[in-house]
């Protein structure tokens, strides 16, 4: 189980309990690294800073705004979601490219441009599909 500390940003009463919005800072591992001043990742982190993520959840606990809570994520879910986000777009790009090339080739043309466009459409389509799936 991976854990993180989050701050309660909002709390509202719901029929089943409480709806809480949690704010969690994304921390880079660069803050503890001795090479952070010579590393590109360390330089980017300095410029961009740490990102804030908001999580909404239902709970039966009466939380207070500003309270610190610990949230946990099972490693299996993190690995599964990372695989979805990396593998599905890659496979969709390859499949779109191959299908577009086959269709264009069956029409008598050389399908290089069609393969590139088909791959791009497959990639973008899979990202939109994933975004819709993860948002709900």
């Amino acid at each position: 189980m991976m854990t993180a500390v989050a701050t309660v940003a909002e709390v509202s009463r719901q029929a089943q309990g409480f709806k809480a919005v949690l704010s969690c800072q994304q921390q880079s591992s660069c803050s503890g690294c001795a090479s952070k001043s010579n590393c590109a990742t360390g330089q980017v982190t300095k410029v961009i800073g740490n990102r804030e993520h908001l999580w909404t959840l239902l709970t039966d606990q009466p939380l207070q705004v500003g309270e610190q809570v610990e949230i946990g994520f099972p490693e299996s879910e993190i690995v599964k979601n990372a695989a979805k986000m990396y593998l599905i777009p890659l496979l969709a790009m390859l499949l779109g490219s191959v299908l577009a090339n086959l269709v264009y080739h069956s029409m008598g043309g050389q399908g290089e441009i069609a393969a590139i466009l088909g791959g791009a459409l497959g990639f973008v389509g899979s990202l939109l599909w994933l975004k819709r799936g993860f948002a709900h």
Side-chain angles (χ1 to χ4, degrees):
M1 176 83 62
M2 294 182 66
T3 61
V5 176
T7 304
V8 178
E10 295 176 28
V11 178
S12 61
R13 192 148 193 50
Q14 301 291 313
Q16 302 89 4
F18 299 93
K19 177 180 172 183
V21 177
L22 305 177
S23 170
C24 187
Q25 289 287 330
Q26 175 181 334
Q27 297 293 323
S28 135
S29 60
C30 293
S31 59
C33 179
S35 301
K36 67 182 173 187
S37 62
N38 299 325
C39 171
T41 304
Q43 298 302 315
V44 170
T45 302
K46 256 197 262 184
V47 172
I48 295 175
N50 293 325
R51 292 183 55 196
E52 179 182 40
H53 297 280
L54 296 176
W55 302 81
T56 303
L57 61 95
L58 292 174
T59 181
D60 57 352
Q61 303 294 316
L63 299 172
Q64 302 294 321
V65 173
E67 186 176 356
Q68 299 272 322
V69 295
E70 186 175 36
I71 53 178
F73 307 97
E75 285 93 351
S76 61
E77 287 297 313
I78 293 171
V79 170
K80 185 171 66 173
N81 288 329
K84 283 182 190 176
M85 292 304 295
Y86 285 101
L87 292 178
I88 290 175
L90 178 63
L91 293 174
M93 181 176 63
L94 291 172
L95 184 63
S97 180
V98 168
L99 289 176
N101 190 19
L102 289 173
V103 168
Y104 194 75
H105 186 67
S106 70
M107 298 168 81
Q110 298 295 329
E112 192 170 311
I113 296 294
I116 293 170
L117 292 175
L121 286 174
F123 181 77
V124 170
S126 70
L127 292 179
L128 294 173
W129 179 71
L130 284 169
K131 182 177 181 179
R132 184 170 172 249
F134 278 117
H136 294 108

